[in-house]
């Protein structure tokens, strides 16, 4: 009989304990829910979110860095290309200027030479003309002097008239 | 893994029941159809019966069940006048005399009657046969439950304050660092895993309360002088009923349709009762599982210690202590495991009841946003 009592006590739920357990459980649910679980869960959630955000921003910063790096590379390449182009242009300009200068100088030189030549020719011509004039005047003077001396006596004059008349053929 | 634990719990109960039955008369012990694992108890009960003839013998069965069952006083140690016993308040409601309160010391451990009431085997009986009484006493179990409630409130409110004080940027320390992983475990591996979606957050406070209430009382129950609250069927009954209510109040249309309008309509008459039984059998299993595991564990421990008194030999003590130590370590694991299993299965029941097949695609789509 004793054992049956014990078994009944083991398997039969007592009303009092059911009552107090219900009250305790509900109280715990309300009090812990309000004063413990809510702040704890919120804090854990906030922390997890902040960690997530931090990780995401780190990842974003990494991507930004990569992008920046590639942008830098592009800019650098562009600058290099521009520099090359500028150098090329400068060389071309220099070559053009030099060749132009050369051409101009050549033309100037040619012009100077040709004008010099023309001057020389004209100088020469004028000199020749002058010389001719002087030679003519000198010849006239000489002829004058010779004639003066030749024709100073009558004999000589006669001789000359005869010589001239001799040469003068009467046709 | 759960089924393995169930069988071990079941084995303990079988062991306990055999212990009860065999200690009564020798005619039972002559029955040949015994389970092999109980053979040890067989001999135990034999020697117990032999000793029962002598007057100064210790009734291990009585001692064991005194430890397992609820009591109206808190007995620490000692016998008779040397005993350290705290008397606890008795609260009874009677249909004739109304509400009455007095201390349990008035009963003098069941030797005296008070106000027309007797304490027989920890059950209050009225001498008046027409009187019906309801016992709402603050028993040993109720006292421990109040202690555990105070402990839980102090523990988790101080942890919550630690979060408020140190903020979320600093690492948790002390109690906080011990309990935070458990809280996250309940939230992620129990609630989120079994309920899922974005609806699980609503149930996390409830699941946390269940988990820590069971855990703290399982652990407190391992202390020899303490009460066996989680191994009491009234306590597990309340928790199982709460699970039943929470599950069914949050159930989806699909869940009810599945019960009251099962798919092959021709089998309606057979399927509906089966489904309806299923609604109650799940929380019933929860109730029995926790109760049986904890009560069974305690009975095994007391029986092992009782070997010393049964054999009346000090030389059996090392064996007793070694086995008790082993079982106690096992019980530490069981304490955590049963709290986890109860909470996990509660979450699983809620999750499966909330599952809505009709809108599952829509829900899945909304989860992606």
């Amino acid at each position: 009989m004793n054992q049956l009592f014990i078994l009944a006590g083991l398997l039969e739920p007592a009303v009092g304990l059911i009552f107090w357990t219900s009250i305790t459980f509900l109280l715990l649910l309300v009090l812990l829910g309000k004063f413990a679980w809510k702040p704890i869960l919120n804090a854990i959630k906030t922390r997890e979110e902040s960690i997530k955000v931090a990780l995401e921003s780190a990842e974003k910063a990494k991507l930004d860095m990569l992008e920046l790096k590639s942008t830098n590379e592009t800019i650098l390449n562009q600058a290099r290309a521009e520099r090359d182009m500028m150098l090329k242009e400068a060389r071309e300009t220099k070559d053009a200027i030099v060749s132009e200068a050369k051409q101009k100088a050549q033309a100037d030189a040619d012009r100077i030479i040709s004008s010099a030549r023309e001057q020389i020719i004209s100088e020469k011509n004028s000199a020749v003309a002058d010389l001719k004039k002087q030679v003519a005047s000198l010849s006239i003077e000489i002829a004058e002097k010779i004639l003066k001396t030749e024709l100073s006596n009558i004999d000589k004059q006669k001789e000359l008239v005869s010589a001239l008349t001799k040469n003068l053929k009467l046709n | 893994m759960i089924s393995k634990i169930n069988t071990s719990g079941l084995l303990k109960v079988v062991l306990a029941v055999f212990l009860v039955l065999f200690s009564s008369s020798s005619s039972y012990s002559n029955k040949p159809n015994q389970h092999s694992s109980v053979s040890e108890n067989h001999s135990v009960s034999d020697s117990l019966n032999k000793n029962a003839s002598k007057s100064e013998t210790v009734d291990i069965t009585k001692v064991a069940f005194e430890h397992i069952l609820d009591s109206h006083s808190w007995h620490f140690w000692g016998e008779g006048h040397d005993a350290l016993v705290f008397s606890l308040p008795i609260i009874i409601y009677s249909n004739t005399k109304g509400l009455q309160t007095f201390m349990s010391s008035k009963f003098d451990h069941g030797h005296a009657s008070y106000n027309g009431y007797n304490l027989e085997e920890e059950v209050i009986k009225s001498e008046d046969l027409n009187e019906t009484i309801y016992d709402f006493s603050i028993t040993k179990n109720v006292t421990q439950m109040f202690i555990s409630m105070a402990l839980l409130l102090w523990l988790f409110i101080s942890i919550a304050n630690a979060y408020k004080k140190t903020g979320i940027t600093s690492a948790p320390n002390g109690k906080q660092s011990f309990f935070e992983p458990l809280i996250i475990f309940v939230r992620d591996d129990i609630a989120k895993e079994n309920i899922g979606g974005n609806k699980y957050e609503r149930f996390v406070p409830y699941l946390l309360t269940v988990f820590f209430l069971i855990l703290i009382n399982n652990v407190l129950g391992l202390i020899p002088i303490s009460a066996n609250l989680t191994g009491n069927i009234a306590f597990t009954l309340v928790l199982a009923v709460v699970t039943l209510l929470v599950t069914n109040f949050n159930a989806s249309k699909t869940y009810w349709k599945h019960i009251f309008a099962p798919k092959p309509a021709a089998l309606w008459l057979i399927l509906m009762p089966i489904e309806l039984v299923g609604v109650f059998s799940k929380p019933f299993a929860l109730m029995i599982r926790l109760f049986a595991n904890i009560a069974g564990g305690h009975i095994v421990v007391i029986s092992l210690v009782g070997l010393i008194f049964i054999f009346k030999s000090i030389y059996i003590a090392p064996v007793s202590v070694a086995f008790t130590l082993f079982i106690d370590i096992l019980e530490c694991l069981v304490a955590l495991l049963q709290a986890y299993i109860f909470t996990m299965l509660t979450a699983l029941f809620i999750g499966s009841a909330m599952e809505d097949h009709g809108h599952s695609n829509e829900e899945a789509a909304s989860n992606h946003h």
Side-chain angles (χ1 to χ4, degrees):
Chain A
M1 253 351 253
N2 188 24
Q3 277 68 35
L4 281 178
F5 267 121
I6 287 166
L7 263 185
L10 192 66
L11 293 173
E12 190 190 353
V15 183
L17 192 53
I18 291 176
F19 173 75
W20 291 115
T21 307
S22 310
I23 287 182
T24 309
F25 185 74
L26 288 178
L27 256 174
L28 266 181
L29 198 61
V30 171
L31 292 177
L32 282 180
K34 193 164 165 24
F35 298 111
W37 304 137
K38 205 176 163 196
I40 291 172
L41 289 170
N42 279 344
I44 291 172
K45 203 177 175 187
T46 316
R47 182 166 61 205
E48 277 172 353
E49 267 162 15
S50 72
I51 288 169
K52 204 176 145 202
V53 166
L55 282 175
E56 273 171 1
S57 65
E59 189 67 23
K60 200 169 162 274
K62 205 174 140 192
L63 284 176
D64 281 354
M65 278 290 288
L66 276 177
E67 205 180 321
L68 207 67
K69 213 175 150 191
S70 73
T71 314
N72 281 350
E73 196 90 352
T74 318
I75 289 172
L76 209 66
N77 282 340
Q78 241 168 21
R80 211 170 277 147
E82 219 163 292
R83 186 201 63 188
D84 286 351
M85 214 172 71
M86 273 164 81
L87 276 175
K88 204 178 151 201
E89 255 171 43
R91 206 173 290 132
E92 277 169 4
T93 315
K94 183 200 79 180
D95 286 352
I97 288 169
V98 167
S99 68
E100 202 186 334
K102 264 187 190 164
Q103 272 175 10
K104 208 176 165 195
Q106 190 68 48
D108 274 356
D110 285 354
R111 195 165 43 82
I112 289 165
I113 287 167
S114 68
S115 79
R117 201 169 280 150
E118 275 167 26
Q119 215 171 340
I120 287 166
I121 290 167
S122 75
E123 293 274 311
K124 194 183 86 182
N125 287 347
S126 74
V128 166
D130 212 30
L131 202 65
K132 275 179 180 170
K133 220 159 97 185
Q134 267 182 350
V135 166
S137 68
L138 266 174
S139 307
I140 291 167
E141 266 178 44
I142 292 164
E144 217 176 46
K145 275 174 187 167
I146 292 167
L147 276 175
K148 270 178 186 165
T149 51
E150 289 281 318
L151 297 171
S152 55
N153 51 25
I154 298 267
D155 297 336
K156 289 264 188 174
Q157 281 178 10
K158 284 178 179 168
E159 199 180 330
L160 184 60
V161 175
S162 65
L164 279 173
T165 47
K166 215 175 138 183
N167 281 345
L168 201 64
K169 285 171 183 155
L170 295 162
N171 6 7
Chain B
M1 189 170 149
I2 294 158
S3 67
K4 204 171 155 191
I5 283 140
N6 282 345
T7 44
S8 81
L10 207 69
L11 207 71
K12 282 183 204 163
V13 173
V14 168
L15 221 70
V17 168
F18 274 122
L19 201 71
V20 171
L21 296 177
F22 287 122
S23 53
S24 59
S25 68
S26 54
S27 65
Y28 275 101
S29 57
N30 292 332
K31 273 192 171 178
N33 61 340
Q34 300 319 321
H35 197 276
S36 61
S37 69
V38 197
S39 56
E40 196 186 350
N41 283 320
H42 205 103
S43 59
V44 166
S45 51
D46 273 351
S47 55
L48 197 81
N49 290 328
K50 273 173 214 155
N51 292 334
S53 54
K54 293 162 194 168
S55 57
E56 79 278 13
T57 183
V58 180
D59 186 352
I60 295 300
T61 315
K62 195 161 170 285
V63 170
F65 282 96
E66 269 171 11
H67 279 83
I68 298 308
L69 295 177
D70 206 356
S71 168
H72 286 84
S73 57
W74 198 319
H75 176 248
F76 281 80
W77 50 72
E79 293 296 330
H81 289 293
D82 303 324
L84 179 64
V85 182
F86 283 94
S87 86
L88 297 167
I90 303 260
I91 303 168
I92 44 177
Y93 180 80
S94 144
N95 59 345
T96 53
K97 293 179 193 162
L99 198 69
Q100 293 167 81
T101 55
F102 52 91
M103 292 306 282
S104 65
S105 52
K106 294 281 198 296
F107 284 129
D108 192 23
H109 310 296
H111 300 308
S113 72
Y114 178 80
N115 220 6
Y117 300 113
N118 285 315
L119 190 64
E120 291 172 19
E121 302 285 345
E122 289 298 338
V123 180
I124 297 170
K125 296 264 167 72
S126 174
E127 282 164 357
D128 181 5
L129 288 173
N130 296 322
E131 192 181 358
T132 323
I133 53 169
Y134 300 98
D135 187 358
F136 292 105
S137 303
I138 308 297
T139 58
K140 191 178 171 185
N141 273 339
V142 176
T143 313
Q144 186 180 296
M145 191 161 58
F146 288 166
I147 292 169
S148 70
M149 175 166 76
L151 264 173
L152 284 173
L153 287 172
W154 167 74
L155 201 61
F156 289 107
I157 290 173
S158 69
I159 287 173
N161 288 336
Y163 278 107
K164 280 180 200 154
K165 206 160 73 184
T166 60
I168 53 145
T169 46
S170 66
N173 54 17
K175 296 194 292 290
Q176 215 182 344
S177 59
F178 180 78
F179 284 102
E180 196 187 290
L182 282 175
I183 293 168
I184 292 174
F185 174 77
V186 171
R187 189 197 61 180
D188 291 349
D189 293 302
I190 295 179
K192 203 190 259 179
E193 181 88 11
N194 293 305
I195 300 171
N198 37 24
K199 289 179 262 174
Y200 79 94
E201 280 179 342
R202 205 145 49 90
F203 300 99
V204 174
Y206 162 60
L207 294 171
L208 282 169
T209 309
V210 169
F211 180 77
F212 284 108
L213 182 63
I214 294 174
L215 181 63
I216 198 165
N217 280 299
N218 280 351
V219 172
L220 285 177
L222 288 176
I223 304 168
I225 53 166
S226 68
N228 172 37
L229 180 61
T230 42
N232 190 298
I233 203 154
F235 178 81
T236 60
L237 172 79
V238 171
L239 293 184
V241 166
V242 174
T243 298
L244 177 77
L245 294 177
V246 170
T247 306
N248 287 289
F249 278 123
N250 288 291
S252 65
K253 227 179 254 171
T254 320
Y255 171 84
W256 293 115
K257 212 186 255 175
H258 189 69
I259 293 167
F260 291 108
K263 256 287 125 65
L267 294 173
W268 182 81
L269 212 65
I270 304 164
L271 283 180
M272 199 197 75
I274 292 172
E275 292 288 348
L276 218 53
V277 165
V279 170
F280 293 99
S281 71
K282 283 180 203 163
F284 186 79
L286 275 186
M287 172 181 84
I288 296 296
R289 182 181 297 110
L290 180 59
F291 151 72
N293 270 284
I294 305 303
H298 286 212
I299 290 171
V300 169
V301 167
I302 294 161
S303 305
L304 285 170
V305 175
L307 285 178
I308 302 167
F309 301 97
I310 290 161
F311 288 109
K312 287 180 179 283
S313 162
I314 194 73
Y315 300 111
I316 204 76
V319 180
S320 256
V321 169
F323 273 103
T324 308
L325 186 66
F326 170 70
I327 295 292
D328 265 338
I329 291 164
L330 198 71
E331 285 304 303
C332 287
L333 180 73
V334 169
L336 192 67
L337 215 55
Q338 287 305 321
Y340 164 67
I341 286 167
F342 195 102
T343 318
M344 194 270 283
L345 286 176
T346 297
L348 192 72
F349 296 158
I350 295 170
S352 63
M354 281 174 80
E355 220 169 22
D356 206 342
H357 294 295
H359 301 288
S360 58
N361 290 333
E362 193 183 301
E363 203 176 286
S366 68
N367 285 344
H368 284 292
H369 292 301

